[in-house]
PDB file of all heavy atoms in Angstrom:
ATOM      1  N   ASP L 222     -30.410  30.157 -44.200  1.00 98.00           N
ATOM      2  CA  ASP L 222     -31.193  29.313 -43.283  1.00 98.00           C
ATOM      3  C   ASP L 222     -30.499  28.028 -42.905  1.00 98.00           C
ATOM      4  O   ASP L 222     -30.989  27.223 -42.132  1.00 98.00           O
ATOM      5  CB  ASP L 222     -32.590  29.035 -43.848  1.00 98.00           C
ATOM      6  CG  ASP L 222     -32.521  28.393 -45.226  1.00 98.00           C
ATOM      7  OD1 ASP L 222     -31.397  28.251 -45.798  1.00 98.00           O
ATOM      8  OD2 ASP L 222     -33.599  28.010 -45.763  1.00 98.00           O
ATOM      9  N   GLN L 223     -29.270  27.816 -43.479  1.00 98.00           N
ATOM     10  CA  GLN L 223     -28.491  26.640 -43.036  1.00 98.00           C
ATOM     11  C   GLN L 223     -28.028  26.910 -41.594  1.00 98.00           C
ATOM     12  O   GLN L 223     -27.879  28.095 -41.189  1.00 98.00           O
ATOM     13  CB  GLN L 223     -27.274  26.400 -43.975  1.00 98.00           C
ATOM     14  CG  GLN L 223     -26.160  27.384 -43.953  1.00 98.00           C
ATOM     15  CD  GLN L 223     -26.349  28.581 -44.897  1.00 98.00           C
ATOM     16  OE1 GLN L 223     -27.449  29.064 -45.053  1.00 98.00           O
ATOM     17  NE2 GLN L 223     -25.278  29.093 -45.493  1.00 98.00           N
ATOM     18  N   THR L 224     -27.813  25.851 -40.844  1.00 98.00           N
ATOM     19  CA  THR L 224     -27.454  26.028 -39.413  1.00 98.00           C
ATOM     20  C   THR L 224     -26.060  25.518 -39.088  1.00 98.00           C
ATOM     21  O   THR L 224     -25.558  24.659 -39.759  1.00 98.00           O
ATOM     22  CB  THR L 224     -28.458  25.301 -38.504  1.00 98.00           C
ATOM     23  OG1 THR L 224     -28.277  23.873 -38.683  1.00 98.00           O
ATOM     24  CG2 THR L 224     -29.894  25.701 -38.778  1.00 98.00           C
ATOM     25  N   ARG L 225     -25.507  26.119 -38.042  1.00 98.00           N
ATOM     26  CA  ARG L 225     -24.252  25.677 -37.448  1.00 98.00           C
ATOM     27  C   ARG L 225     -24.399  25.863 -35.901  1.00 98.00           C
ATOM     28  O   ARG L 225     -25.216  26.695 -35.452  1.00 98.00           O
ATOM     29  CB  ARG L 225     -23.044  26.456 -37.939  1.00 98.00           C
ATOM     30  CG  ARG L 225     -22.700  26.289 -39.408  1.00 98.00           C
ATOM     31  CD  ARG L 225     -22.244  24.884 -39.748  1.00 98.00           C
ATOM     32  NE  ARG L 225     -21.786  24.746 -41.136  1.00 98.00           N
ATOM     33  CZ  ARG L 225     -22.580  24.474 -42.169  1.00 98.00           C
ATOM     34  NH1 ARG L 225     -23.881  24.337 -41.985  1.00 98.00           N
ATOM     35  NH2 ARG L 225     -22.077  24.349 -43.386  1.00 98.00           N
ATOM     36  N   SER L 226     -23.538  25.180 -35.179  1.00 98.00           N
ATOM     37  CA  SER L 226     -23.560  25.243 -33.722  1.00 98.00           C
ATOM     38  C   SER L 226     -22.143  25.574 -33.279  1.00 98.00           C
ATOM     39  O   SER L 226     -21.242  24.777 -33.531  1.00 98.00           O
ATOM     40  CB  SER L 226     -24.013  23.912 -33.148  1.00 98.00           C
ATOM     41  OG  SER L 226     -25.229  23.513 -33.819  1.00 98.00           O
ATOM     42  N   PHE L 227     -21.952  26.717 -32.672  1.00 98.00           N
ATOM     43  CA  PHE L 227     -20.588  27.237 -32.473  1.00 98.00           C
ATOM     44  C   PHE L 227     -20.088  27.061 -31.054  1.00 98.00           C
ATOM     45  O   PHE L 227     -20.769  27.470 -30.093  1.00 98.00           O
ATOM     46  CB  PHE L 227     -20.573  28.734 -32.825  1.00 98.00           C
ATOM     47  CG  PHE L 227     -20.977  29.034 -34.226  1.00 98.00           C
ATOM     48  CD1 PHE L 227     -22.258  29.447 -34.558  1.00 98.00           C
ATOM     49  CD2 PHE L 227     -20.043  28.856 -35.299  1.00 98.00           C
ATOM     50  CE1 PHE L 227     -22.660  29.676 -35.859  1.00 98.00           C
ATOM     51  CE2 PHE L 227     -20.446  29.126 -36.615  1.00 98.00           C
ATOM     52  CZ  PHE L 227     -21.751  29.533 -36.885  1.00 98.00           C
ATOM     53  N   CYS L 228     -18.891  26.514 -30.915  1.00 98.00           N
ATOM     54  CA  CYS L 228     -18.280  26.203 -29.628  1.00 98.00           C
ATOM     55  C   CYS L 228     -17.116  27.181 -29.410  1.00 98.00           C
ATOM     56  O   CYS L 228     -16.231  27.333 -30.256  1.00 98.00           O
ATOM     57  CB  CYS L 228     -17.817  24.800 -29.577  1.00 98.00           C
ATOM     58  SG  CYS L 228     -17.298  24.272 -27.974  1.00 98.00           S
ATOM     59  N   TYR L 229     -17.078  27.827 -28.241  1.00 98.00           N
ATOM     60  CA  TYR L 229     -15.958  28.708 -27.920  1.00 98.00           C
ATOM     61  C   TYR L 229     -14.708  27.871 -27.636  1.00 98.00           C
ATOM     62  O   TYR L 229     -14.806  26.777 -27.055  1.00 98.00           O
ATOM     63  CB  TYR L 229     -16.305  29.583 -26.707  1.00 98.00           C
ATOM     64  CG  TYR L 229     -15.262  30.623 -26.440  1.00 98.00           C
ATOM     65  CD1 TYR L 229     -15.042  31.656 -27.333  1.00 98.00           C
ATOM     66  CD2 TYR L 229     -14.491  30.578 -25.288  1.00 98.00           C
ATOM     67  CE1 TYR L 229     -14.086  32.621 -27.093  1.00 98.00           C
ATOM     68  CE2 TYR L 229     -13.527  31.570 -25.035  1.00 98.00           C
ATOM     69  CZ  TYR L 229     -13.328  32.572 -25.978  1.00 98.00           C
ATOM     70  OH  TYR L 229     -12.357  33.514 -25.755  1.00 98.00           O
ATOM     71  N   VAL L 230     -13.567  28.360 -28.080  1.00 98.00           N
ATOM     72  CA  VAL L 230     -12.351  27.536 -28.113  1.00 98.00           C
ATOM     73  C   VAL L 230     -11.956  26.986 -26.744  1.00 98.00           C
ATOM     74  O   VAL L 230     -11.495  25.822 -26.659  1.00 98.00           O
ATOM     75  CB  VAL L 230     -11.194  28.254 -28.824  1.00 98.00           C
ATOM     76  CG1 VAL L 230     -10.750  29.493 -28.067  1.00 98.00           C
ATOM     77  CG2 VAL L 230     -10.044  27.321 -29.138  1.00 98.00           C
ATOM     78  N   SER L 231     -12.154  27.736 -25.660  1.00 98.00           N
ATOM     79  CA  SER L 231     -11.720  27.195 -24.345  1.00 98.00           C
ATOM     80  C   SER L 231     -12.588  26.010 -23.950  1.00 98.00           C
ATOM     81  O   SER L 231     -12.138  25.052 -23.307  1.00 98.00           O
ATOM     82  CB  SER L 231     -11.715  28.273 -23.284  1.00 98.00           C
ATOM     83  OG  SER L 231     -13.038  28.792 -23.112  1.00 98.00           O
ATOM     84  N   ASP L 232     -13.884  26.077 -24.303  1.00 98.00           N
ATOM     85  CA  ASP L 232     -14.763  24.917 -24.048  1.00 98.00           C
ATOM     86  C   ASP L 232     -14.310  23.687 -24.850  1.00 98.00           C
ATOM     87  O   ASP L 232     -14.270  22.590 -24.331  1.00 98.00           O
ATOM     88  CB  ASP L 232     -16.193  25.225 -24.453  1.00 98.00           C
ATOM     89  CG  ASP L 232     -16.932  26.080 -23.426  1.00 98.00           C
ATOM     90  OD1 ASP L 232     -16.560  26.023 -22.220  1.00 98.00           O
ATOM     91  OD2 ASP L 232     -17.926  26.762 -23.794  1.00 98.00           O
ATOM     92  N   GLU L 233     -13.957  23.959 -26.093  1.00 98.00           N
ATOM     93  CA  GLU L 233     -13.532  22.866 -26.958  1.00 98.00           C
ATOM     94  C   GLU L 233     -12.288  22.168 -26.419  1.00 98.00           C
ATOM     95  O   GLU L 233     -12.205  20.955 -26.330  1.00 98.00           O
ATOM     96  CB  GLU L 233     -13.219  23.462 -28.386  1.00 98.00           C
ATOM     97  CG  GLU L 233     -12.939  22.425 -29.452  1.00 98.00           C
ATOM     98  CD  GLU L 233     -14.155  21.536 -29.782  1.00 98.00           C
ATOM     99  OE1 GLU L 233     -15.262  22.052 -29.924  1.00 98.00           O
ATOM    100  OE2 GLU L 233     -13.955  20.313 -29.872  1.00 98.00           O
ATOM    101  N   VAL L 234     -11.292  22.980 -26.000  1.00 98.00           N
ATOM    102  CA  VAL L 234     -10.044  22.454 -25.493  1.00 98.00           C
ATOM    103  C   VAL L 234     -10.266  21.687 -24.178  1.00 98.00           C
ATOM    104  O   VAL L 234      -9.649  20.649 -23.971  1.00 98.00           O
ATOM    105  CB  VAL L 234      -9.038  23.592 -25.334  1.00 98.00           C
ATOM    106  CG1 VAL L 234      -7.819  23.155 -24.528  1.00 98.00           C
ATOM    107  CG2 VAL L 234      -8.558  24.069 -26.754  1.00 98.00           C
ATOM    108  N   GLU L 235     -11.141  22.173 -23.352  1.00 98.00           N
ATOM    109  CA  GLU L 235     -11.459  21.428 -22.113  1.00 98.00           C
ATOM    110  C   GLU L 235     -12.016  20.034 -22.433  1.00 98.00           C
ATOM    111  O   GLU L 235     -11.592  19.054 -21.844  1.00 98.00           O
ATOM    112  CB  GLU L 235     -12.502  22.264 -21.311  1.00 98.00           C
ATOM    113  CG  GLU L 235     -13.015  21.557 -20.050  1.00 98.00           C
ATOM    114  CD  GLU L 235     -11.973  21.434 -18.965  1.00 98.00           C
ATOM    115  OE1 GLU L 235     -11.125  22.329 -18.848  1.00 98.00           O
ATOM    116  OE2 GLU L 235     -12.036  20.429 -18.199  1.00 98.00           O
TER     117      GLU L 235
END
Side-chain angles (χ1 to χ4, degrees):
D222 56 354
Q223 70 274 36
T224 68
R225 293 295 186 272
S226 309
F227 300 98
C228 189
Y229 188 65
V230 65
S231 61
D232 280 336
E233 188 65 46
V234 167
E235 175 69 33

